[in-house]
Amino acid sequence: MTEYGYFLSTEEHGPADLVEQARMAEQAGFTSLWISDHFHPWNAEQGQSPFVWSVIGALSQATSLPVRTAVTCPIMRLHPAVTAQAAATAAVQLGGGFRLGVGSGEALNEHILGGAWPQAAIRLEMLQEAVQVMRLLFEGGEVSHHGKHYTVENARLYTVPDEPVPIDVSAFGPTATELAGRIGDGFITMAPDAEAVDRFRRSGGGAKPVSGGLKVCWGTDREEAVRTAHRLWANEQLPGELSQILPTPRHFEQANELVPVERVADAVTCGDDVDAHLAAITAYADAGFDTVFVNQIGPDQRGFFDFYRSKVLPQLPD
């Protein structure tokens, strides 16, 4: 059974708009929420970047839907002990309906304190230790930890949920996917990649949940929707490791100039063709995903939710 959630973009929207979108998502029939965790947007056109933990507190009062971050980087900008405290509080606020999605991050958000940006292998090593620290803290006892990357002394979380916060691990390559299988309570990725799902399950993930994210741009004028998707999210079509190593929104804007509109048109479902939206979502179900989170690019959120409530969600398999 595949479930369908909504993906809140903190890069595009401020706190009040995100809360209102969460309400509309619940009314439309989406069953859970993802929310991104950034210090910077990817480019100035996106234009926002509220502190995700404040927004989650507001979401807990505005909707009954479960929430998870997609994703938080607990290795540099926020120490894993601080991340654990934030996640535990979020889980209490949401009555246990919170999952912490984590990943190895991007220089765009994590280099801001002035530290060197580590190579990918080191970041994964740091992520593994950070997850270990957070799991210890979620148990509610006093923790002292002296590891290769992190030190924690006499730390205890006093506000904790009844059960430890589940930690889902984001991954995009074989090595990271295998790590997710070993240490994660679930797997997060952004493409309907059946091979990656299988690798996660074979690496220790077993029957743990797999979640995917999908960006679309609904609109009655497909060409205009394509232009909107290109203006706001051309960065998703950048190749290789650029999204991990470019340090500022300005650098992404420069790189985005190399992404033709046609590439976005081919990669992103745009317009109001119901069958196209259904096909994009069911590709994840066919690849073995348990939950698909859909994000509407651009300002016309109400039109998107009306479209999905009336024409898309009713046709998706339960």
Side-chain angles (χ1 to χ4, degrees):
M1 178 185 296
T2 302
E3 297 185 3
Y4 308 100
Y6 188 68
F7 189 174
L8 297 166
S9 172
T10 61
E11 301 94 326
E12 274 194 68
H13 304 284
D17 287 339
L18 292 166
V19 171
E20 179 59 25
Q21 289 167 26
R23 292 192 185 101
M24 290 191 289
E26 186 168 19
Q27 292 166 2
F30 289 99
T31 59
S32 56
L33 299 168
W34 256 10
I35 185 166
S36 54
D37 180 359
H38 269 234
F39 189 87
H40 290 139
W42 297 98
N43 55 66
E45 284 288 338
Q46 292 173 355
Q48 291 286 340
S49 198
F51 189 54
V52 70
W53 302 105
S54 300
V55 179
I56 289 172
L59 293 175
S60 74
Q61 303 302 301
T63 175
S64 65
L65 297 181
V67 178
R68 66 189 77 178
T69 54
V71 295
T72 295
C73 179
I75 68 171
M76 293 185 69
R77 173 171 49 103
L78 290 179
H79 190 282
V82 177
T83 305
Q85 185 186 28
T89 299
V92 170
Q93 290 174 305
L94 289 156
F98 178 75
R99 299 180 74 95
L100 176 64
V102 299
S104 57
E106 305 91 13
L108 174 71
N109 302 301
E110 305 308 320
H111 86 290
I112 60 167
L113 301 182
W117 182 236
Q119 294 182 346
I122 301 301
R123 300 200 307 271
L124 290 177
E125 184 180 88
M126 295 170 73
L127 181 63
Q128 182 168 358
E129 185 177 341
V131 169
Q132 178 187 357
V133 168
M134 292 188 293
R135 289 198 195 283
L136 290 172
L137 287 164
F138 289 152
E139 293 175 2
E142 184 176 297
V143 174
S144 292
H145 170 90
H146 299 274
K148 182 175 180 180
H149 300 287
Y150 305 108
T151 297
V152 178
E153 290 188 354
N154 309 117
R156 178 184 173 187
L157 299 181
Y158 282 83
T159 300
V160 293
D162 292 336
E163 299 292 334
V165 179
I167 301 176
D168 299 334
V169 177
S170 173
F172 298 98
T175 301
T177 300
E178 290 171 5
L179 177 65
R182 294 195 301 273
I183 71 171
D185 294 311
F187 176 44
I188 293 172
T189 193
M190 293 296 289
D193 187 341
E195 182 178 345
V197 173
D198 182 62
R199 184 182 295 274
F200 167 75
R201 300 207 183 284
R202 287 188 286 104
S203 300
K208 295 174 183 177
V210 174
S211 302
L214 167 68
K215 289 188 177 294
V216 303
C217 190
W218 174 86
T220 56
D221 183 334
R222 184 177 183 276
E223 291 184 1
E224 178 62 27
V226 168
R227 288 192 292 271
T228 297
H230 181 266
R231 175 173 61 85
L232 291 170
W233 287 95
N235 56 278
E236 288 219 324
Q237 308 309 318
L238 294 174
E241 295 183 61
L242 284 177
S243 63
Q244 280 78 53
I245 64 174
L246 293 179
T248 70
R250 182 179 68 257
H251 289 96
F252 277 94
E253 290 159 16
Q254 294 166 358
N256 287 349
E257 294 178 6
L258 303 176
V259 178
V261 173
E262 294 77 15
R263 184 177 300 173
V264 173
D266 290 341
V268 181
T269 301
C270 295
D272 60 354
D273 184 330
V274 175
D275 290 339
H277 285 264
L278 289 170
I281 296 171
T282 55
Y284 287 81
D286 293 343
F289 284 69
D290 298 287
T291 310
V292 186
F293 292 87
V294 184
N295 171 251
Q296 162 70 356
I297 294 171
D300 196 353
Q301 297 290 317
R302 188 168 298 280
F304 163 85
F305 285 117
D306 288 344
F307 176 70
Y308 265 65
R309 180 181 60 247
S310 61
K311 296 184 178 179
V312 177
L313 292 178
Q315 296 192 56
L316 289 168
D318 294 330

